[in-house]
Amino acid sequence: MILREEDDAVSVLPRQFPTNRGGLCQKGWTSAELLSHPQRLTSPLLRDPASGELRPASWDAALDRITTGIRDVQEKHGRDAVAVFGGGGLTNEKAYALGRFARVALGTRHIDYNGRFCMSSAAAAGMRAFGVDRGLPFPLSDLGRADTLLLVGANPAETMPPLMRWLTEQRERGGRLIVIDPRVTATARQADLHLQPLPGTDLAVANALLHIALTEGYVDGDYVATRTTGFTEVRRTVAGWWPARAEALSGVPVADLEETARALGTAGRAIILTARGAEQHAKGVDTVTGFVNLALALGLPGRPGSGYGCLTGQGNGQGGREHGQKADQLPGYRRIDDLEARAHVAQVWGVPADELPGPGVPAYQLLDSLGTDQGPRALLVFGSNPVVSAPRAARIEGRLRDLDLLVVTDFLLSETAALADVVLPTAQWAEEDGTMTNLEGRVLRRRALRPPPAGVRTDLSILTALSSRLRAPGRQPPDDPHTVFAELRRASAGGIADYAGISWDRIDAADGVYWPCPDDEGPDSPRLFTYRFATADGLARFHPVEHRPAAEEVCADYPLYFTTGRVLAQYQSGTQTRRVAALRRAAPEAFVELHPDLAERLGVADGEPVRVLSRRGEFQAPARLSPGIRPDTVFAPFHWGGRARANSVTNDAVDPISGMPEFKICAVRVEKA
């Protein structure tokens, strides 16, 4: 986008950029309204111990309160008693600085971020199959060239509207679009074929598709033999997934499974994309792996116009997970338990490698341990709102209330900030420079239009000030984004996500630079896997995966499946979008989507308030009747808090590899409110 400021009013204008070609969704067009929103925070807030209310305070008072609180907690309970929770939408510079702050200034192993709830299953599947996690290992424009495009649990028409231009181009070229989703979404309505499985059965569908590909001769034997390893065991596993078995489990007709496998197997170019619908499960890594196995067997990765990819879910969903916010990672997508990686990063930071803490725990485990004898007693939150976004949210809200110290940095008073002891006002996207990395691995520049309002600081300046007050060891962290990015380049050098050859000037000259890019004068990497994969031997790994039931199945007391998702006019926990007038008009409140047959059995009319109850809690919202959802399934968006908080009922069972919670399926009952 392009920003223009006239008479203190900011306008958003289109920009002809390669990825979106001037297109934005409604959220982008209206984003400038938040820059001068009347509810914007412009002063630190401290909780008054006498009244219990948040009151304006000076920056010195707020930083002193945080510093004293951190020292008190760590003196009583140890360094790991303070935790940090970040956001996937932070710039690369801020994500990097936050990881550095946690490991050096606080010396804590406890840091993770809300991207754990978004991309972690696809990331883990990509790492074990390809040796690298990049949402799309090919340029976005490849989508328009595919003869067959399979979307699994993805609804970009509502979650990523500019991407639909590539899908339109794909269809205009004569390509086929196939969507796998339990609901008839806005994207599914545009598909040539829609597979509507029972929630939680995508892995059975993936194995059946590979079974058909084997049976009908679509497997690329030369590719499998020369570019992969491990196929023999996968072949043995999927032999038992004949189409009729998958139909009985998922509800997807055998004819649709066969048509999908043939469309992929006979296409000159085919792409398989997964998103949250397939990934936000306690078996999300295995489910994604099932579709990766299918892509590898068909010989798709590394071929132009073909491959496997994953759609990101946040503004910097790719870059936010590359440089140290994750519990087990250091900058450059290095593992924190790798001795060589620790030595390299410690040298950049000017600290002994053996003083860096070890791996922490994934986000839900971290949040669920807060305020307990075994968990942290203080938490610093940057760019996230777990009171609304976490699974089993009422439980997590209680954990946050039990803390000795809760600090939240935000520019609006989110539901999480409303619980804090200290709230720090921070700059918005148009008020600070930095970089973002999109789903293609293309590093982009974000330029400040104007400085933040008086009384507001950037996240980088906040982290630098706290590091100074805490007398952090090593080199003083910089607080300007250009210098931070230069340090990030050194820290990432030699890592999987190598930014060493990427500079702001180079980004500006080329409409972005793709990582890995190790050399200033060398090429970047818009397309991966052309000749080899990022594994030690250059071969991709097959992994046998078996379908298993959801962590919680329906029963007499909770006879319906519940799943969550997004709507076009709202974003994430809604802290920003629920405050934009045009977006409120477009999507003013939460809803519960029911099939008309189910509504009739319940005696519920369209628009009538209903309660959705699970073993963990309940929420309330108006019913919205739709024939596009399965009669055994209930859907609600997760953008609202309070009584309409959908995550009050979601399951906190997690994937054993990625730590992803099972947002997309649990057992509920629905009652008239």
Side-chain angles (χ1 to χ4, degrees):
M1 67 174 71
I2 299 173
L3 299 179
R4 182 177 63 194
E5 185 175 30
E6 293 180 0
D7 299 326
D8 203 39
V10 177
S11 300
V12 177
L13 304 175
R15 178 188 176 195
Q16 287 301 319
F17 196 76
T19 52
N20 66 330
R21 297 186 289 191
L24 289 174
C25 68
Q26 190 178 16
K27 296 182 287 290
W29 292 121
T30 58
S31 57
E33 184 174 324
L34 293 169
L35 297 172
S36 55
H37 197 279
Q39 293 179 5
R40 177 151 190 200
L41 301 175
T42 56
S43 169
L45 303 176
L46 290 183
R47 193 165 299 281
D48 186 332
S51 67
E53 296 180 356
L54 287 169
R55 300 189 182 280
S58 69
W59 273 98
D60 281 340
L63 295 173
D64 285 345
R65 170 72 180 90
I66 297 169
T67 305
T68 301
I70 289 172
R71 286 176 174 158
D72 288 348
V73 166
Q74 290 190 324
E75 286 173 5
K76 292 177 183 176
H77 305 285
R79 300 184 76 83
D80 288 339
V82 179
V84 175
F85 196 75
L90 300 179
T91 64
N92 294 322
E93 291 79 6
K94 292 192 287 187
Y96 167 83
L98 199 60
R100 187 190 200 274
F101 173 78
R103 272 81 184 224
V104 177
L106 297 177
T108 182
R109 70 186 182 97
H110 284 310
I111 177 173
D112 211 55
Y113 80 129
N114 64 13
R116 180 74 65 174
F117 299 158
C118 182
M119 299 281 300
S120 59
S121 288
M127 288 296 292
R128 73 178 185 178
F130 307 128
V132 66
D133 160 35
R134 205 173 86 180
L136 295 184
F138 47 77
L140 196 61
S141 56
D142 272 21
L143 300 184
R145 302 170 60 190
D147 298 311
T148 299
L149 179 58
L150 175 63
L151 300 183
V152 187
N155 182 20
E158 293 193 81
T159 62
M160 199 180 293
L163 183 138
M164 296 302 291
R165 297 186 176 206
W166 297 110
L167 272 61
T168 299
E169 180 176 309
Q170 186 248 356
R171 295 196 65 190
E172 289 175 347
R173 288 175 179 264
R176 297 198 69 195
L177 173 63
I178 303 174
V179 171
I180 301 178
D181 199 299
R183 302 170 58 230
V184 182
T185 64
T187 306
R189 284 194 291 271
Q190 300 185 39
D192 298 285
L193 178 63
H194 176 207
L195 281 57
Q196 199 167 3
L198 182 73
T201 62
D202 294 315
L203 178 49
V205 171
N207 280 346
L209 291 174
L210 183 47
H211 177 104
I212 297 167
L214 276 161
T215 302
E216 300 195 3
Y218 302 130
V219 171
D220 187 332
D222 289 342
Y223 183 100
V224 169
T226 60
R227 302 212 55 195
T228 74
T229 184
F231 184 59
T232 300
E233 186 58 35
V234 169
R235 177 195 291 270
R236 199 173 293 128
T237 299
V238 301
W241 281 99
W242 53 93
R245 181 186 177 194
E247 177 181 13
L249 187 68
S250 69
V252 177
V254 168
D256 289 349
L257 293 170
E258 291 175 342
E259 184 177 350
T260 300
R262 290 166 187 159
L264 291 168
T266 60
R269 297 180 296 267
I271 292 175
I272 300 172
L273 298 180
T274 63
R276 306 302 82 72
E279 299 158 13
Q280 288 180 321
H281 295 269
K283 57 177 181 293
V285 176
D286 284 354
T287 298
V288 174
T289 298
F291 286 100
V292 170
N293 286 342
L294 177 62
L296 287 172
L298 297 174
L300 305 181
R303 289 167 42 199
S306 295
Y308 163 79
C310 170
L311 299 181
T312 52
Q314 300 189 65
N316 195 27
Q318 181 67 53
R321 67 183 185 270
E322 294 171 356
H323 297 298
Q325 280 194 101
K326 290 180 77 172
D328 58 351
Q329 285 184 2
L330 289 172
Y333 224 123
R334 288 181 162 91
R335 291 184 58 88
I336 200 169
D337 57 3
D338 182 294
L339 294 180
E340 185 177 339
R342 291 170 64 86
H344 173 84
V345 174
Q347 188 277 327
V348 174
W349 290 346
V351 297
D354 57 4
E355 291 185 9
L356 292 178
V361 297
Y364 185 78
Q365 185 178 343
L366 173 61
L367 294 172
D368 194 38
S369 70
L370 296 174
T372 67
D373 292 339
Q374 297 76 36
R377 305 291 311 179
L379 178 69
L380 284 72
V381 179
F382 287 76
S384 189
N385 186 18
V387 166
V388 174
S389 63
R392 203 172 185 176
R395 180 184 178 102
I396 298 306
E397 181 178 343
R399 294 283 191 252
L400 292 169
R401 292 181 184 275
D402 289 339
L403 288 168
D404 298 338
L405 175 67
L406 174 61
V407 179
V408 175
T409 298
D410 211 327
F411 53 86
L412 295 163
L413 195 69
S414 69
E415 287 83 354
T416 303
L419 303 180
D421 300 291
V422 185
V423 182
L424 301 178
T426 189
Q428 289 195 51
W429 52 275
E431 299 163 350
E432 57 183 348
D433 290 315
T435 61
M436 313 280 277
T437 305
N438 75 353
L439 76 169
E440 310 165 291
R442 187 198 301 245
V443 186
L444 310 168
R445 283 269 281 117
R446 191 171 78 178
R447 299 171 181 80
L449 174 70
R450 64 185 188 185
V456 173
R457 297 188 182 183
T458 67
D459 289 334
L460 292 178
S461 66
I462 292 168
L463 292 172
T464 299
L466 287 173
S467 294
S468 178
R469 287 171 182 259
L470 292 167
R471 297 184 175 88
R475 298 184 180 89
Q476 176 73 4
D479 63 359
D480 73 282
H482 189 271
T483 307
V484 172
F485 189 76
E487 185 178 291
L488 180 159
R489 293 173 63 191
R490 297 195 301 275
S492 73
I496 293 173
D498 191 334
Y499 282 35
I502 305 175
S503 66
W504 282 15
D505 288 343
R506 186 172 179 179
I507 294 171
D508 292 343
D511 278 338
V513 181
Y514 296 84
W515 68 259
C517 181
D519 301 313
D520 289 324
E521 303 299 327
D524 62 349
S525 306
R527 189 179 306 281
L528 304 180
F529 314 148
T530 302
Y531 303 108
R532 59 178 287 120
F533 293 92
T535 57
D537 57 9
L539 302 178
R541 270 65 170 152
F542 279 97
H543 291 270
V545 285
E546 276 284 10
H547 169 80
R548 57 185 185 271
E552 179 180 75
E553 299 203 79
V554 296
C555 61
D557 291 332
Y558 301 97
L560 299 168
Y561 297 100
F562 176 66
T563 190
T564 65
R566 307 182 186 193
V567 296
L568 176 62
Q570 299 291 341
Y571 177 71
Q572 299 295 78
S573 69
T575 301
Q576 300 174 53
T577 51
R578 283 187 273 124
R579 288 174 166 86
V580 176
L583 302 180
R584 283 200 310 274
R585 289 192 296 270
E589 60 183 352
F591 60 88
V592 178
E593 187 173 280
L594 310 172
H595 192 279
D597 292 348
L598 174 60
E600 184 177 1
R601 292 202 306 271
L602 297 171
V604 172
D606 192 58
E608 189 172 4
V610 296
R611 295 166 65 218
V612 180
L613 303 94
S614 75
R615 293 177 175 85
R616 291 156 296 281
E618 64 178 76
F619 74 97
Q620 180 175 314
R624 179 178 294 182
L625 274 55
S626 170
I629 191 167
R630 294 173 55 105
D632 55 6
T633 302
V634 178
F635 167 86
F638 61 84
H639 309 292
W640 283 267
R643 295 181 67 188
R645 181 174 59 190
N647 276 322
S648 293
V649 308
T650 48
N651 199 345
D652 55 350
V654 297
D655 186 289
I657 299 173
S658 67
M660 170 72 80
E662 189 142 82
F663 287 104
K664 285 294 189 268
I665 182 171
C666 68
V668 300
R669 70 174 180 268
V670 178
E671 302 173 350
K672 294 177 69 170

